Short mmCIF file of all heavy atoms in Angstrom, two decimals:
data_model
loop_
_atom_site.label_atom_id
_atom_site.label_comp_id
_atom_site.label_asym_id
_atom_site.label_seq_id
_atom_site.Cartn_x
_atom_site.Cartn_y
_atom_site.Cartn_z
N ASP J 154 11.08 11.41 8.40
CA ASP J 154 12.23 11.46 9.30
C ASP J 154 13.51 11.01 8.59
O ASP J 154 14.59 11.57 8.82
CB ASP J 154 11.99 10.58 10.53
CG ASP J 154 10.91 11.14 11.45
OD1 ASP J 154 10.52 12.32 11.29
OD2 ASP J 154 10.43 10.38 12.31
N ALA J 155 13.37 10.00 7.73
CA ALA J 155 14.54 9.47 7.01
C ALA J 155 14.95 10.37 5.86
O ALA J 155 16.14 10.51 5.55
CB ALA J 155 14.24 8.06 6.49
N LEU J 156 13.95 10.98 5.19
CA LEU J 156 14.20 11.79 4.00
C LEU J 156 13.34 13.06 4.05
O LEU J 156 12.28 13.11 3.44
CB LEU J 156 13.84 11.00 2.73
CG LEU J 156 14.77 9.89 2.27
CD1 LEU J 156 14.14 9.14 1.11
CD2 LEU J 156 16.11 10.47 1.84
N PRO J 157 13.77 14.07 4.75
CA PRO J 157 12.95 15.28 4.90
C PRO J 157 12.58 15.95 3.58
O PRO J 157 11.57 16.65 3.51
CB PRO J 157 13.84 16.20 5.75
CG PRO J 157 14.76 15.28 6.49
CD PRO J 157 15.00 14.14 5.55
N ASN J 158 13.37 15.74 2.53
CA ASN J 158 13.07 16.38 1.23
C ASN J 158 12.12 15.56 0.36
O ASN J 158 11.69 16.04 -0.69
CB ASN J 158 14.37 16.64 0.46
CG ASN J 158 15.21 17.71 1.13
OD1 ASN J 158 14.68 18.63 1.75
ND2 ASN J 158 16.53 17.58 1.02
N CYS J 159 11.80 14.34 0.79
CA CYS J 159 10.86 13.52 0.02
C CYS J 159 9.45 14.12 0.14
O CYS J 159 9.04 14.54 1.22
CB CYS J 159 10.86 12.09 0.56
SG CYS J 159 9.70 10.98 -0.24
N LYS J 160 8.73 14.12 -0.96
CA LYS J 160 7.34 14.58 -0.94
C LYS J 160 6.45 13.40 -0.56
O LYS J 160 6.32 12.44 -1.32
CB LYS J 160 6.96 15.16 -2.30
CG LYS J 160 7.77 16.41 -2.65
CD LYS J 160 7.50 16.85 -4.07
CE LYS J 160 8.30 18.11 -4.39
NZ LYS J 160 9.76 17.87 -4.40
N VAL J 161 5.86 13.48 0.64
CA VAL J 161 5.12 12.35 1.21
C VAL J 161 3.63 12.62 1.15
O VAL J 161 3.17 13.71 1.51
CB VAL J 161 5.57 12.08 2.66
CG1 VAL J 161 4.87 10.84 3.21
CG2 VAL J 161 7.09 11.92 2.73
N TYR J 162 2.86 11.60 0.73
CA TYR J 162 1.41 11.73 0.58
C TYR J 162 0.70 10.64 1.36
O TYR J 162 1.12 9.47 1.34
CB TYR J 162 1.03 11.64 -0.90
CG TYR J 162 1.54 12.81 -1.70
CD1 TYR J 162 2.85 12.82 -2.17
CD2 TYR J 162 0.75 13.92 -1.95
CE1 TYR J 162 3.35 13.91 -2.88
CE2 TYR J 162 1.23 15.01 -2.65
CZ TYR J 162 2.53 14.99 -3.12
OH TYR J 162 3.02 16.08 -3.81
N LEU J 163 -0.38 11.02 2.03
CA LEU J 163 -1.21 10.09 2.79
C LEU J 163 -2.45 9.78 1.97
O LEU J 163 -3.25 10.67 1.66
CB LEU J 163 -1.60 10.70 4.13
CG LEU J 163 -2.49 9.83 5.02
CD1 LEU J 163 -1.70 8.64 5.56
CD2 LEU J 163 -3.06 10.65 6.18
N LYS J 164 -2.64 8.51 1.63
CA LYS J 164 -3.83 8.11 0.89
C LYS J 164 -5.02 8.11 1.85
O LYS J 164 -5.01 7.44 2.87
CB LYS J 164 -3.62 6.73 0.26
CG LYS J 164 -4.70 6.33 -0.73
CD LYS J 164 -5.69 5.42 -0.07
CE LYS J 164 -6.73 4.91 -1.06
NZ LYS J 164 -7.76 4.11 -0.39
N ASP J 165 -6.03 8.87 1.52
CA ASP J 165 -7.21 9.01 2.36
C ASP J 165 -7.90 7.66 2.55
O ASP J 165 -8.21 6.98 1.57
CB ASP J 165 -8.17 10.01 1.71
CG ASP J 165 -9.26 10.45 2.66
OD1 ASP J 165 -8.94 10.86 3.78
OD2 ASP J 165 -10.44 10.38 2.28
N SER J 166 -8.13 7.28 3.80
CA SER J 166 -8.74 6.00 4.12
C SER J 166 -9.61 6.14 5.35
O SER J 166 -9.41 7.05 6.16
CB SER J 166 -7.67 4.93 4.37
OG SER J 166 -6.83 4.78 3.25
N SER J 167 -10.55 5.21 5.51
CA SER J 167 -11.46 5.28 6.66
C SER J 167 -10.71 5.23 7.98
O SER J 167 -11.09 5.89 8.95
CB SER J 167 -12.47 4.13 6.59
OG SER J 167 -11.81 2.88 6.67
N HIS J 168 -9.61 4.48 8.03
CA HIS J 168 -8.90 4.28 9.29
C HIS J 168 -7.90 5.39 9.63
O HIS J 168 -7.27 5.34 10.68
CB HIS J 168 -8.19 2.93 9.28
CG HIS J 168 -7.38 2.68 8.04
ND1 HIS J 168 -7.89 2.04 6.95
CD2 HIS J 168 -6.12 3.02 7.73
CE1 HIS J 168 -6.98 1.97 6.01
NE2 HIS J 168 -5.90 2.56 6.45
N ASN J 169 -7.73 6.40 8.73
CA ASN J 169 -6.82 7.49 9.09
C ASN J 169 -7.52 8.85 9.16
O ASN J 169 -6.87 9.90 9.13
CB ASN J 169 -5.59 7.54 8.16
CG ASN J 169 -5.97 7.80 6.71
OD1 ASN J 169 -6.93 8.51 6.39
ND2 ASN J 169 -5.17 7.25 5.79
N GLN J 170 -8.86 8.83 9.28
CA GLN J 170 -9.61 10.08 9.28
C GLN J 170 -9.31 10.96 10.49
O GLN J 170 -9.37 12.19 10.40
CB GLN J 170 -11.12 9.79 9.21
CG GLN J 170 -11.57 9.21 7.88
CD GLN J 170 -11.23 10.11 6.71
OE1 GLN J 170 -11.68 11.23 6.65
NE2 GLN J 170 -10.42 9.60 5.79
N ALA J 171 -9.01 10.36 11.62
CA ALA J 171 -8.77 11.15 12.84
C ALA J 171 -7.39 11.80 12.84
O ALA J 171 -7.13 12.69 13.65
CB ALA J 171 -8.92 10.26 14.08
N PHE J 172 -6.54 11.39 11.93
CA PHE J 172 -5.18 11.92 11.89
C PHE J 172 -5.16 13.29 11.23
O PHE J 172 -5.70 13.47 10.13
CB PHE J 172 -4.27 10.96 11.13
CG PHE J 172 -2.84 11.42 11.03
CD1 PHE J 172 -2.00 11.32 12.13
CD2 PHE J 172 -2.36 11.97 9.86
CE1 PHE J 172 -0.68 11.75 12.05
CE2 PHE J 172 -1.05 12.40 9.77
CZ PHE J 172 -0.20 12.29 10.86
N VAL J 173 -4.55 14.25 11.89
CA VAL J 173 -4.40 15.59 11.35
C VAL J 173 -3.01 15.70 10.73
O VAL J 173 -1.99 15.55 11.42
CB VAL J 173 -4.57 16.66 12.45
CG1 VAL J 173 -4.37 18.05 11.87
CG2 VAL J 173 -5.95 16.53 13.08
N CYS J 174 -2.96 15.95 9.44
CA CYS J 174 -1.68 15.97 8.72
C CYS J 174 -0.84 17.18 9.11
O CYS J 174 -1.36 18.31 9.12
CB CYS J 174 -1.91 16.01 7.22
SG CYS J 174 -2.57 14.47 6.53
N PRO J 175 0.42 16.97 9.43
CA PRO J 175 1.32 18.12 9.60
C PRO J 175 1.54 18.81 8.25
O PRO J 175 1.14 18.29 7.21
CB PRO J 175 2.61 17.48 10.13
CG PRO J 175 2.54 16.06 9.66
CD PRO J 175 1.11 15.69 9.61
N GLU J 176 2.21 19.93 8.28
CA GLU J 176 2.37 20.75 7.08
C GLU J 176 3.05 20.01 5.94
O GLU J 176 2.74 20.21 4.77
CB GLU J 176 3.15 22.01 7.44
CG GLU J 176 3.25 23.02 6.33
CD GLU J 176 3.93 24.30 6.78
OE1 GLU J 176 3.50 24.86 7.81
OE2 GLU J 176 4.88 24.72 6.10
N TRP J 177 3.99 19.13 6.26
CA TRP J 177 4.77 18.46 5.22
C TRP J 177 4.03 17.28 4.58
O TRP J 177 4.47 16.76 3.56
CB TRP J 177 6.10 17.95 5.80
CG TRP J 177 5.94 17.08 7.01
CD1 TRP J 177 6.02 17.48 8.31
CD2 TRP J 177 5.67 15.66 7.06
NE1 TRP J 177 5.80 16.41 9.16
CE2 TRP J 177 5.59 15.30 8.41
CE3 TRP J 177 5.47 14.69 6.07
CZ2 TRP J 177 5.34 13.99 8.81
CZ3 TRP J 177 5.22 13.39 6.46
CH2 TRP J 177 5.15 13.05 7.82
N LEU J 178 2.92 16.84 5.18
CA LEU J 178 2.20 15.66 4.68
C LEU J 178 0.91 16.08 4.01
O LEU J 178 0.09 16.80 4.58
CB LEU J 178 1.91 14.71 5.84
CG LEU J 178 1.18 13.41 5.50
CD1 LEU J 178 1.97 12.58 4.49
CD2 LEU J 178 0.92 12.59 6.77
N ILE J 179 0.70 15.59 2.78
CA ILE J 179 -0.47 15.98 2.00
C ILE J 179 -1.41 14.78 1.87
O ILE J 179 -1.02 13.72 1.40
CB ILE J 179 -0.05 16.48 0.61
CG1 ILE J 179 0.89 17.68 0.75
CG2 ILE J 179 -1.28 16.87 -0.22
CD1 ILE J 179 1.56 18.08 -0.53
N ARG J 180 -2.66 14.98 2.27
CA ARG J 180 -3.68 13.93 2.14
C ARG J 180 -4.27 14.00 0.74
O ARG J 180 -4.67 15.07 0.28
CB ARG J 180 -4.77 14.13 3.19
CG ARG J 180 -5.84 13.04 3.20
CD ARG J 180 -6.95 13.39 4.19
NE ARG J 180 -6.51 13.33 5.57
CZ ARG J 180 -6.58 12.23 6.33
NH1 ARG J 180 -7.09 11.11 5.84
NH2 ARG J 180 -6.17 12.26 7.60
N ILE J 181 -4.30 12.86 0.05
CA ILE J 181 -4.89 12.81 -1.29
C ILE J 181 -5.90 11.67 -1.35
O ILE J 181 -5.91 10.78 -0.50
CB ILE J 181 -3.82 12.64 -2.39
CG1 ILE J 181 -3.00 11.36 -2.18
CG2 ILE J 181 -2.92 13.86 -2.44
CD1 ILE J 181 -2.04 11.08 -3.32
N GLN J 182 -6.73 11.69 -2.38
CA GLN J 182 -7.84 10.75 -2.46
C GLN J 182 -7.40 9.33 -2.77
O GLN J 182 -7.86 8.38 -2.16
CB GLN J 182 -8.85 11.22 -3.51
CG GLN J 182 -10.07 10.34 -3.61
CD GLN J 182 -11.10 10.90 -4.57
OE1 GLN J 182 -10.97 12.01 -5.07
NE2 GLN J 182 -12.13 10.12 -4.85
N ASP J 183 -6.52 9.16 -3.75
CA ASP J 183 -6.18 7.81 -4.20
C ASP J 183 -4.91 7.80 -5.03
O ASP J 183 -4.28 8.84 -5.26
CB ASP J 183 -7.35 7.20 -5.01
CG ASP J 183 -7.82 8.11 -6.13
OD1 ASP J 183 -6.99 8.81 -6.73
OD2 ASP J 183 -9.04 8.13 -6.40
N PHE J 184 -4.54 6.61 -5.51
CA PHE J 184 -3.33 6.47 -6.32
C PHE J 184 -3.40 7.31 -7.59
O PHE J 184 -2.39 7.91 -8.00
CB PHE J 184 -3.09 5.01 -6.70
CG PHE J 184 -2.06 4.88 -7.80
CD1 PHE J 184 -0.71 4.97 -7.51
CD2 PHE J 184 -2.45 4.72 -9.13
CE1 PHE J 184 0.24 4.91 -8.52
CE2 PHE J 184 -1.50 4.65 -10.14
CZ PHE J 184 -0.16 4.74 -9.83
N ASN J 185 -4.54 7.36 -8.24
CA ASN J 185 -4.64 8.10 -9.49
C ASN J 185 -4.29 9.58 -9.30
O ASN J 185 -3.65 10.19 -10.16
CB ASN J 185 -6.04 7.96 -10.10
CG ASN J 185 -6.29 6.57 -10.65
OD1 ASN J 185 -5.37 5.77 -10.82
ND2 ASN J 185 -7.54 6.27 -10.94
N GLU J 186 -4.71 10.15 -8.17
CA GLU J 186 -4.34 11.54 -7.89
C GLU J 186 -2.84 11.66 -7.67
O GLU J 186 -2.20 12.60 -8.15
CB GLU J 186 -5.10 12.05 -6.66
CG GLU J 186 -4.83 13.51 -6.36
CD GLU J 186 -5.59 14.04 -5.16
OE1 GLU J 186 -6.44 13.31 -4.62
OE2 GLU J 186 -5.32 15.20 -4.77
N PHE J 187 -2.27 10.68 -6.96
CA PHE J 187 -0.82 10.67 -6.74
C PHE J 187 -0.07 10.59 -8.06
O PHE J 187 0.89 11.33 -8.29
CB PHE J 187 -0.47 9.47 -5.85
CG PHE J 187 0.99 9.28 -5.58
CD1 PHE J 187 1.68 10.14 -4.73
CD2 PHE J 187 1.68 8.22 -6.16
CE1 PHE J 187 3.03 9.95 -4.46
CE2 PHE J 187 3.03 8.03 -5.91
CZ PHE J 187 3.71 8.90 -5.06
N GLU J 188 -0.52 9.70 -8.94
CA GLU J 188 0.15 9.54 -10.24
C GLU J 188 0.13 10.83 -11.03
O GLU J 188 1.11 11.21 -11.68
CB GLU J 188 -0.53 8.41 -11.02
CG GLU J 188 0.14 8.06 -12.34
CD GLU J 188 -0.38 8.90 -13.51
OE1 GLU J 188 -1.49 9.45 -13.41
OE2 GLU J 188 0.34 9.00 -14.52
N LYS J 189 -0.98 11.54 -10.99
CA LYS J 189 -1.09 12.81 -11.72
C LYS J 189 -0.13 13.86 -11.16
O LYS J 189 0.51 14.60 -11.91
CB LYS J 189 -2.52 13.34 -11.69
CG LYS J 189 -2.72 14.61 -12.52
CD LYS J 189 -4.15 15.08 -12.48
CE LYS J 189 -4.36 16.26 -13.45
NZ LYS J 189 -3.40 17.36 -13.26
N ILE J 190 -0.02 13.91 -9.83
CA ILE J 190 0.91 14.85 -9.19
C ILE J 190 2.34 14.58 -9.64
O ILE J 190 3.08 15.49 -10.02
CB ILE J 190 0.80 14.75 -7.66
CG1 ILE J 190 -0.55 15.32 -7.19
CG2 ILE J 190 1.96 15.48 -6.97
CD1 ILE J 190 -0.88 15.01 -5.74
N VAL J 191 2.73 13.30 -9.61
CA VAL J 191 4.09 12.92 -10.01
C VAL J 191 4.31 13.20 -11.49
O VAL J 191 5.35 13.76 -11.89
CB VAL J 191 4.36 11.44 -9.69
CG1 VAL J 191 5.71 11.01 -10.25
CG2 VAL J 191 4.31 11.20 -8.18
N ASN J 192 3.35 12.84 -12.32
CA ASN J 192 3.49 13.05 -13.76
C ASN J 192 3.60 14.53 -14.10
O ASN J 192 4.43 14.93 -14.93
CB ASN J 192 2.30 12.42 -14.49
CG ASN J 192 2.48 12.43 -15.99
OD1 ASN J 192 3.48 11.95 -16.51
ND2 ASN J 192 1.51 12.99 -16.70
N ASP J 193 2.76 15.34 -13.46
CA ASP J 193 2.81 16.78 -13.71
C ASP J 193 4.17 17.36 -13.31
O ASP J 193 4.75 18.19 -14.03
CB ASP J 193 1.70 17.50 -12.95
CG ASP J 193 0.33 17.24 -13.54
OD1 ASP J 193 0.23 16.67 -14.65
OD2 ASP J 193 -0.68 17.60 -12.88
N ALA J 194 4.69 16.91 -12.16
CA ALA J 194 5.99 17.39 -11.70
C ALA J 194 7.10 16.97 -12.65
O ALA J 194 8.03 17.75 -12.94
CB ALA J 194 6.27 16.87 -10.29
N ALA J 195 7.03 15.75 -13.16
CA ALA J 195 8.04 15.26 -14.10
C ALA J 195 8.03 16.07 -15.38
O ALA J 195 9.09 16.37 -15.95
CB ALA J 195 7.81 13.78 -14.39
N GLN J 196 6.84 16.43 -15.85
CA GLN J 196 6.74 17.23 -17.07
C GLN J 196 7.29 18.64 -16.84
O GLN J 196 7.97 19.19 -17.72
CB GLN J 196 5.26 17.32 -17.50
CG GLN J 196 4.63 15.99 -17.87
CD GLN J 196 5.18 15.41 -19.16
OE1 GLN J 196 5.82 16.10 -19.95
NE2 GLN J 196 4.94 14.12 -19.38
N GLU J 197 7.02 19.20 -15.68
CA GLU J 197 7.47 20.57 -15.39
C GLU J 197 8.99 20.65 -15.25
O GLU J 197 9.60 21.67 -15.58
CB GLU J 197 6.83 21.06 -14.10
CG GLU J 197 5.33 21.34 -14.23
CD GLU J 197 4.68 21.65 -12.91
OE1 GLU J 197 5.42 21.75 -11.89
OE2 GLU J 197 3.44 21.78 -12.86
N GLU J 198 9.61 19.56 -14.75
CA GLU J 198 11.04 19.60 -14.47
C GLU J 198 11.90 18.99 -15.58
O GLU J 198 13.09 18.79 -15.39
CB GLU J 198 11.32 18.89 -13.15
CG GLU J 198 10.69 19.56 -11.95
CD GLU J 198 11.11 18.93 -10.63
OE1 GLU J 198 12.26 18.44 -10.56
OE2 GLU J 198 10.31 18.91 -9.68
#
Side-chain angles (χ1 to χ4, degrees):
D154 291 346
L156 285 173
N158 292 328
C159 178
K160 296 173 179 66
V161 184
Y162 293 83
L163 179 70
K164 190 261 184 185
D165 193 51
S166 301
S167 62
H168 49 268
N169 62 33
Q170 292 302 299
F172 180 76
V173 178
C174 290
E176 187 175 308
W177 54 264
L178 181 59
I179 302 169
R180 184 185 291 270
I181 59 174
Q182 183 175 352
D183 52 35
F184 166 79
N185 289 346
E186 183 179 354
F187 177 73
E188 185 272 339
K189 184 179 186 308
I190 290 168
V191 173
N192 188 54
D193 288 349
Q196 297 291 344
E197 289 172 5
E198 296 187 32

